[in-house]
Amino acid sequence: MSIFKKFFGSNAEEDASGTQAPPKTESTSTTTSSSGLHRSKFPFGRYTDRNKTNEQIAFWGEAVKAFDEKRYFDSFEILMKYIGDPEIGNLSYTRNGDQIQFEFIQGSNIIKGSAEGDKFVAISEIVLMETPNVPVMRKLMSQNYSLKYSKFALKNNVVCMKLSSKIEDASPNKLYYGLREMARKADREDDLLISEFGNVKEVGVDKTIPYSEEKMAVLLKYLDIWISETLEEVGKHDRDNFCGAIAFLLLRLSYRIDYLLKPQGQLMDRLEKIQHMFFAQNNETTQQRNDKIIAEFNDILNWDESKKREGLYETISTFALINPSDHKPVMDMMFDEMKKADWYINNNYPVFIKSIFEYSVAYAFFNYGMHYPTMHIWDMLMEIFNPDFYKEMGIDNQFINGEQLNQSNINKRLTFIIKEAKKEFPNIDLRVENINYGDLTQFYTSLMKEADYLNYSK
């Protein structure tokens, strides 16, 4: 046995017990009728699998029932139907008797698997090591200890992730959470390993979707503009007296880039590092954290264009990076952050007010798997905060002109969102007549008060 197989494993069976509850989904009364609102397909932001159709939710119950009745291959096939997202076509499978072959996409990776005989196996190839690399081995071996269902393995010099189980142990719970763990981890590691180690290369078919040169130019332009403008604004204020306000400027920048540019690889990793810097539980002051974050953004700004391009591409995903959330925690966060704007409102600091509002919306996209009607309303807010970017990306709803909000267009959009959402959430409502269009602050605060009453019960 080679040293790599000794550490990583080869084809040995791994039986991780799955004790988690079924994945959280919508109520079983969710309609499957066509809607003018996408559930999971948005022009910006990360993929969400939070909003399952009624048919998909029924598939989950059927898969559990079939497994309990020991109809294992029926259970696996039905689970594939549950996991697949018909809106984006992320998964395919074939069945021939007691044999199932499947394949799905997660970002830049393909996960392939089968159920036949007495085994269920799924594998995702990550990188090719041209020569044995002990640092790579050591890094991945240490990560194996934190994985519950899957593991890193080595086969023919290809670093893989593998999930395997005996058929009778492969419950829908175990397979769902196991495939999710594996898919998320595999998608993240390939770019990071390639950037960190010199003798590893891409392997297999790259499933990333390159942007057109026109779109790439816009993304690169705004990445630089947003960082430069934010750092310039930071420089206008005393770093001690306005350290809290500066933190909002920097965090808004980080979450704005994540939502609107959807960075991948090193760029995504660097932004997450920035976020962890600020929210880390340590003894650093806000000013000290700000200074570190400023240094990180200056570093990104100075990357050469090729490095920036490496982190900008489109993907298809099967599992979301964030878990589903109810509406109340989202709104609790929004109101908690909105309170922090009071001093800046009373003392007339519009730049800081807007940064807090936009930060809250972008933060919600990053941290909460929201109901899709809420996501559409929040995306409307992001367009109001960033109209020039949306226009250059080919989206112009004319919600705002300069500082002037377009009440008619905004009300039309909100009314449409609620009308379409009622097909699935009959109790949902939003009183547009209560929204105040006096200025951006009045608009935002009044909209949040009305959004708080969005009723997703059946």
Side-chain angles (χ1 to χ4, degrees):
M1 178 182 291
S2 73
I3 187 171
F4 287 95
K5 288 186 177 181
K6 180 178 179 181
F7 282 125
F8 288 128
S10 53
N11 294 319
E13 184 70 24
E14 177 178 81
D15 183 16
S17 59
T19 58
Q20 290 174 275
K24 187 175 182 181
T25 61
E26 298 300 324
S27 164
T28 54
S29 61
T30 302
T31 180
T32 58
S33 62
S34 61
S35 170
L37 295 181
H38 287 298
R39 297 170 177 273
S40 54
K41 189 177 180 182
F42 282 75
F44 307 113
R46 306 289 177 181
Y47 172 73
T48 176
D49 56 3
R50 186 252 193 277
N51 299 289
K52 299 289 187 183
T53 66
N54 183 57
E55 184 179 21
Q56 287 174 290
I57 294 166
F59 284 146
W60 177 266
E62 292 173 21
V64 172
K65 183 175 184 292
F67 186 84
D68 290 343
E69 295 173 351
K70 302 187 186 303
R71 294 186 289 114
Y72 300 126
F73 292 90
D74 288 342
S75 177
F76 300 150
E77 179 179 13
I78 297 167
L79 182 65
M80 294 298 108
K81 295 178 180 179
Y82 174 81
I83 293 175
D85 188 335
E87 199 167 72
I88 60 174
N90 53 355
L91 180 147
S92 63
Y93 75 91
T94 59
R95 179 175 180 180
N96 183 13
D98 285 349
Q99 182 184 61
I100 293 175
Q101 304 283 337
F102 66 90
E103 178 179 308
F104 66 85
I105 305 171
Q106 181 73 22
S108 58
N109 284 81
I110 301 175
I111 290 84
K112 297 181 179 181
S114 65
E116 57 183 309
D118 63 350
K119 282 188 176 181
F120 181 100
V121 178
I123 294 177
S124 177
E125 295 183 341
I126 300 175
V127 293
L128 170 67
M129 287 198 300
E130 296 181 313
T131 58
N133 188 313
V134 173
V136 174
M137 176 190 69
R138 185 181 297 115
K139 176 178 180 177
L140 299 183
M141 182 181 65
S142 67
Q143 293 191 43
N144 270 347
Y145 289 105
S146 65
L147 298 172
K148 183 174 182 180
Y149 301 96
S150 57
K151 64 182 178 182
F152 287 101
L154 188 71
K155 182 177 181 181
N156 298 328
N157 291 334
V158 174
V159 175
C160 309
M161 286 203 74
K162 181 179 179 182
L163 168 69
S164 60
S165 175
K166 294 179 179 179
I167 289 293
E168 61 267 25
D169 296 328
S171 68
N173 256 8
K174 177 178 179 179
L175 294 188
Y176 178 86
Y177 287 106
L179 290 171
R180 186 180 72 170
E181 174 188 80
M182 174 183 176
R184 287 174 168 179
K185 193 69 173 175
D187 179 41
R188 186 177 183 85
E189 283 302 318
D190 57 353
D191 286 343
L192 296 181
L193 288 173
I194 290 170
S195 65
E196 185 175 351
F197 300 101
N199 65 335
V200 296
K201 294 184 176 181
E202 293 183 6
V203 64
V205 179
D206 183 3
K207 299 302 293 185
T208 61
I209 305 168
Y211 291 124
S212 67
E213 277 303 309
E214 293 79 8
K215 187 170 184 178
M216 177 64 78
V218 175
L219 300 180
L220 291 169
K221 170 185 173 180
Y222 277 91
L223 176 62
D224 288 348
I225 286 176
W226 290 336
I227 295 176
S228 298
E229 288 181 346
T230 299
L231 297 183
E232 181 181 350
E233 184 63 38
V234 167
K236 297 176 182 178
H237 306 282
D238 184 276
R239 293 195 181 186
D240 288 324
N241 293 332
F242 288 92
C243 61
I246 289 171
F248 276 116
L249 290 171
L250 296 170
L251 290 172
R252 174 186 65 172
L253 173 61
S254 174
Y255 290 110
R256 175 199 281 172
I257 291 172
D258 187 86
Y259 180 68
L260 295 180
L261 304 190
K262 294 187 290 186
Q264 310 289 341
Q266 290 187 73
L267 182 54
M268 178 182 178
D269 191 58
R270 186 63 68 93
L271 290 175
E272 291 189 357
K273 178 183 176 181
I274 287 170
Q275 293 149 15
H276 291 156
M277 279 182 178
F278 185 81
F279 293 108
Q281 298 296 319
N282 55 37
N283 295 322
E284 291 182 339
T285 65
T286 300
Q287 182 183 349
Q288 289 172 327
R289 295 178 185 185
N290 289 345
D291 288 343
K292 286 186 175 182
I293 293 172
I294 290 169
E296 292 292 331
F297 276 122
N298 269 314
D299 188 42
I300 295 173
L301 191 62
N302 290 323
W303 284 0
D304 59 48
E305 184 177 309
S306 62
K307 188 172 182 178
K308 294 172 184 175
R309 281 175 172 265
E310 289 175 0
L312 296 171
Y313 52 82
E314 186 61 272
T315 61
I316 294 173
S317 291
T318 299
F319 295 98
L321 298 180
I322 50 176
N323 296 325
S325 175
D326 291 329
H327 188 59
K328 186 179 185 303
V330 177
M331 296 311 302
D332 286 348
M333 181 277 295
M334 301 300 288
F335 283 112
D336 285 344
E337 298 302 325
M338 197 159 61
K339 290 177 184 175
K340 297 173 185 178
D342 286 347
W343 187 88
Y344 304 105
I345 293 172
N346 294 332
N347 290 277
N348 193 27
Y349 284 97
V351 171
F352 296 144
I353 297 166
K354 185 178 178 181
S355 70
I356 294 172
F357 292 165
E358 185 183 347
Y359 154 76
S360 303
V361 175
Y363 179 89
F365 275 115
F366 186 85
N367 286 282
Y368 299 94
M370 297 181 286
H371 294 273
Y372 69 88
T374 301
M375 293 175 67
H376 282 281
I377 296 173
W378 269 217
D379 181 72
M380 182 194 74
L381 286 169
M382 289 300 291
E383 182 172 353
I384 290 170
F385 293 135
N386 301 279
D388 292 340
F389 172 79
Y390 274 73
K391 287 176 184 177
E392 292 199 45
M393 293 295 287
I395 301 171
D396 185 7
N397 291 298
Q398 298 181 17
F399 294 136
I400 189 169
N401 182 14
E403 298 297 320
Q404 186 64 43
L405 293 161
N406 189 322
Q407 179 175 345
S408 175
N409 286 354
I410 294 173
N411 280 351
K412 285 178 182 177
R413 179 60 179 165
L414 291 172
T415 301
F416 173 77
I417 292 171
I418 299 304
K419 178 183 176 182
E420 292 296 312
K422 278 183 177 292
K423 298 175 182 178
E424 306 192 29
F425 308 102
N427 297 314
I428 197 170
D429 198 13
L430 191 146
R431 297 168 296 183
V432 295
E433 65 273 13
N434 289 346
I435 298 175
N436 188 331
Y437 286 87
D439 58 27
L440 184 62
T441 297
Q442 293 172 327
F443 166 73
Y444 180 88
T445 55
S446 61
L447 177 59
M448 286 300 116
K449 289 177 182 177
E450 295 307 313
D452 191 35
Y453 292 104
L454 290 174
N455 187 343
Y456 288 104
S457 66
K458 302 297 182 179

